[in-house]
Amino acid sequence: MRWQNQTLDADDGALPGLDRAGFVRTVQTPEFDGVTFHEVLCKSALNKTPEASNLPFNWTINPMRGCSHACRYCFARPTHEYLDLDAGRDFDAQIVVKTNIAAVLRRELGRRSWHREPVALGTNTDPYQRAEGRYRLMPGIIRALTQSGTPFSILTKGTLLRRDLPLLTQAAHEVPVQVAVSIAILDPELHRGLESGTPSPRARLELVAALTDAGFDVNVMVAPVIPYLTDGRAHLDELFGAIAAAGATSAVAFPMHLRGATRGWFLEWLAREHPALLRRYRQLYGRGAYVSPEYAAWLRERLDPLLRKHGLTRESRLPSAPDTKPEHTADPQLALFA
């Protein structure tokens, strides 16, 4: 694999060579059946975002690569190909864990050159995926950011965040903290097909309520909106209503985009489960990774009145298309933090 040529001097903090780095191992455990963890030592914890991404933050932290949420539409799938792993099953089951990331982060935040710029977590893969229950990386990361006076934001589908709610509440008294939850699907069957490793939509709505009760202004990402499957008025109306009832202060929704290997992985599922839609998808995404301008305009006309109806509207901006380098993959949906 390509990572075998990397060393502890790799400047992106990603993957040192598994055969050379101290305290690096591959782990399989019964409680994570079918998942392999590759424990690595990173040199860097903070990742600089490309200027062209036009995001409301300049720095990100990705404690892991790969994600057991197994979302068919995940925009970050192509990043696994930089490791000579595939963007399909390997992305779901070969999880790279940066076991020393909290210590490295503390060192970086302690530099005189650090200006306490906002840092975002959850921009590539979810920091509260199931592996966090084993490795407990986030408490150290949260403490390091808080103690250094660094504002931060978290975007997650993982209800494991509730474990750290007391720590996040304490952090919010010291630095600005933003928390957002991703909920795109209410239908249980569709959820199982497209997001098989994530907590249920109902559990995530309960997370929104818990965060609200703790005093956070919670934003919800209703994304991606999946053409012809989750873009119906009734589905969106019910979803926005449930989000508002849970106490969220705002929501943002965008149509699905299919970049790189994600396209094939999603369309494989679509051909098997909804073959009648395949031709329509090829037309809709015929110009590349993004839906046609006509569909985007149609969806916006549907979304805006529903968001207003449920009191979930706020101003946001849509960043330009991001680059696709490993560790720097930013999704347009991250306008949620704008």
Side-chain angles (χ1 to χ4, degrees):
M1 289 183 288
R2 190 178 305 163
W3 64 37
Q4 290 175 333
N5 295 323
Q6 294 184 315
T7 71
L8 285 174
D9 294 326
D11 62 3
D12 67 350
L15 282 170
L18 294 179
D19 56 347
R20 303 181 211 171
F23 305 105
V24 172
R25 61 175 181 163
T26 294
V27 179
Q28 293 178 318
T29 64
E31 60 267 37
F32 292 91
D33 185 36
V35 177
T36 299
F37 299 115
H38 302 287
E39 299 176 358
V40 303
L41 301 178
C42 65
K43 183 179 178 181
S44 175
L46 290 164
N47 308 298
K48 188 74 165 64
T49 62
E51 292 183 9
S53 64
N54 193 30
L55 291 170
F57 46 82
N58 294 325
W59 300 93
T60 67
I61 300 172
N62 297 303
M64 304 176 200
R65 297 183 68 161
C67 186
S68 60
H69 283 342
C71 301
R72 278 275 171 174
Y73 50 75
C74 181
F75 73 92
R77 287 184 174 276
T79 63
H80 241 43
E81 295 178 327
Y82 289 93
L83 314 178
D84 282 344
L85 294 170
D86 72 61
R89 299 193 188 284
D90 284 350
F91 182 84
D92 300 339
Q94 302 284 331
I95 311 300
V96 179
V97 184
K98 303 173 187 177
T99 56
N100 64 332
I101 193 167
V104 173
L105 178 63
R106 282 195 296 272
R107 184 176 70 240
E108 292 179 328
L109 296 175
R111 293 171 180 166
R112 296 177 66 179
S113 59
W114 177 246
H115 299 298
R116 298 180 179 85
E117 298 178 67
V119 173
L121 294 105
T123 63
N124 194 346
T125 53
D126 199 319
Y128 281 106
Q129 59 178 287
R130 287 180 59 223
E132 172 60 17
R134 172 184 172 86
Y135 288 98
R136 299 184 65 87
L137 302 177
M138 285 299 291
I141 291 171
I142 292 169
R143 290 190 184 98
L145 291 166
T146 304
Q147 291 168 4
S148 70
T150 300
F152 64 93
S153 60
I154 298 173
L155 171 62
T156 185
K157 295 179 181 179
T159 53
L160 185 58
L161 181 145
R162 293 184 75 164
R163 180 202 67 194
D164 293 342
L165 191 50
L167 188 58
L168 286 168
T169 302
Q170 181 181 0
H173 290 295
E174 305 293 332
V175 297
V177 177
Q178 288 182 286
V179 184
V181 180
S182 176
I183 311 172
I185 303 169
L186 274 185
D187 179 77
E189 183 176 353
L190 193 57
H191 164 256
R192 285 191 295 270
L194 284 172
E195 306 174 334
S196 60
T198 65
S200 70
R202 187 57 53 187
R204 279 178 270 165
L205 288 167
E206 292 172 358
L207 173 62
V208 172
L211 286 163
T212 300
D213 290 344
F216 288 95
D217 291 331
V218 184
N219 306 314
V220 173
M221 179 182 289
V222 180
V225 176
I226 303 169
Y228 315 124
L229 291 175
T230 66
D231 59 0
R233 187 184 303 275
H235 172 267
L236 292 169
D237 191 25
E238 182 182 5
L239 180 54
F240 291 151
I243 289 168
T249 58
S250 60
V252 39
F254 296 102
M256 179 176 65
H257 66 272
L258 299 173
R259 187 171 60 230
T262 300
R263 182 186 183 104
W265 189 242
F266 178 85
L267 291 180
E268 176 187 311
W269 173 86
L270 189 73
R272 183 175 66 249
E273 301 295 332
H274 300 278
L277 292 179
L278 201 55
R279 182 176 180 181
R280 298 176 74 181
Y281 263 73
R282 287 172 176 159
Q283 294 172 338
L284 186 60
Y285 290 91
R287 303 181 186 183
Y290 296 89
V291 296
S292 67
E294 295 79 11
Y295 178 87
W298 172 86
L299 182 62
R300 177 52 55 197
E301 289 180 0
R302 169 157 292 184
L303 290 170
D304 286 348
L306 292 173
L307 287 166
R308 288 194 297 269
K309 172 184 175 182
H310 295 286
L312 296 170
T313 302
R314 71 168 185 164
E315 292 298 321
S316 65
R317 57 192 177 94
L318 181 63
S320 58
D323 80 3
T324 56
K325 295 179 181 179
E327 295 295 299
H328 291 155
T329 300
D331 187 85
Q333 297 162 356
L334 296 177
L336 187 63
F337 290 123

